[in-house]
Amino acid sequence: MGCSFSGLNALYDAVNGGGDVWINENRFKIVRQLGEGGFAYVYLVKEVVSDSSSALANGLAKKVKDPSHLSDDRTYAIKKVLIQNNEQLDLVRDEIRVSSLFSHPNLLPLLDHTIISVKPTQEGSWNHEAYLLFPVHLDGTLLDNSKAMTSRKEFFSAPDVLQIFRQEENNSKLEELGPENESKEVGLKHMHNLGPPYAHNDVKPGNVLLSHRKGKCPLAILMDFGSARPARKQIRSRSEALQLQEWASEHCSAPFRAPELWDCPSDADIDERTDIWSLGCTLFAIMYGVSPFEYALGESGGSLQLAIINAQIKWPAGPKQPYPEEFHHFVTWMLQPQPALRPCIDDIIYHVDKLVTKFSQ
Ligand SMILES: Nc1ncnc2c1ncn2[C@@H]1O[C@H](COP(=O)(O)OP(=O)(O)OP(=O)(O)O)[C@@H](O)[C@H]1O
């Protein structure tokens, strides 16, 4: 993936003037900041078109393959990534390359991107900025939503937990798209079933955007493919194991990180079930607002790594349990510390469908 330098000066001047951002031939006005990450800022933007009557036929519409990704009011999200060295540049290029592999209603699509050089660093090498354009979802992440619930001492209802997790309703849309999309699947299954299978590697409530819909359960959209990689790795030496652990410590959020990524044996077959562990932690967090291991350590603290390696799970006690025992068993099943015994995404979908039948009536 090469850098695009089109519109370089216009883009640089506009951004520094605090006004518009150009991504290739399209111009966007920054409305406000939506969030920020490690080296990134995310803005709500509005596409600027010269002739508003033909807005949806021009500009971005010419660029975006799937018209359902275009917004009626021309608002989008732009993620601006600050790049200081070649390693960071490679990471952004990976994020762009990997994002273009997926097309699924539960995976946030990358609509367009540009990488520009901005100014030389003191050492004389160039700094870059990447601008990534996405559909915008203004109802916050699953983390924002579950934190708000927890602070009000409220819980998602049992059927809502299952619907958010399963996303079945949304996927009936897939069946309308044609036979190749006929199987009811969630976004993660789409990634795990690619050839080769990809792992997201950072499944957590902060990486799931929610979009509320009238009379339906919220649409959950997995984002942030910066850490997604081919999932299957054969580890055959101590140094390969340490390399994997080091990579995971930088890319996989600690409270949601699978045990084999904390303490990898020198002879191990790693696969996409690292994501199933994170999915189990995410389901716990939909119910109780935090990862199970942060919950188990509580205020007294302790080693997160040990709690995870020992699969030390604790359930909220009390006479009024918001969720049936089956939900706890389901989470415990996903949090199987031995990866070879952990279920895969097809098992999860089969099981959650049984729970939906039982608890969503
Ligand atoms: N498409 C979007 N629509 C609405 N808000 C968004 C969108 N993308 C990102 N955000 C907001 O911006 C925040 C940061 O985005 P993102 O997680 O992609 O950045 P990051 O640098 O990869 O973060 P991290 O360092 O946590 O991995 C999100 O938590 C979310 O609140």
Side-chain angles (χ1 to χ4, degrees), residues 33-44 76-81 95 108-109 132-141 143-144 202 204-210 221 223-227 251 253:
Q33 188 174 322
L34 288 173
E36 64 180 270
F39 289 93
Y41 297 91
V42 179
Y43 300 99
L44 171 68
Y76 296 92
I78 282 184
K79 180 165 160 179
K80 169 182 172 176
V81 189
E95 179 167 356
L108 189 70
L132 312 185
L133 181 74
F134 299 101
V136 69
H137 297 280
L138 293 174
D139 296 320
T141 63
L143 179 68
D144 302 330
D202 204 14
K204 59 176 180 178
N207 276 339
V208 179
L209 287 165
L210 285 188
I221 303 135
M223 65 169 174
D224 210 346
F225 300 100
S227 309
H251 292 89
S253 301

Side-chain angles (χ1 to χ4, degrees), residues 39 81-89 121 123 125-129:
F39 289 93
V81 189
L82 307 176
I83 300 163
Q84 281 154 346
N85 53 45
N86 285 341
E87 201 189 329
Q88 288 174 339
L89 186 58
T121 60
E123 299 81 48
S125 63
W126 285 82
N127 267 358
H128 295 85
E129 285 175 358

Side-chain angles (χ1 to χ4, degrees), residues 268-282:
D269 291 328
I270 303 294
D271 67 23
E272 56 278 17
R273 282 176 286 183
T274 49
D275 276 350
I276 300 298
W277 179 278
S278 311
L279 197 61
C281 296
T282 300

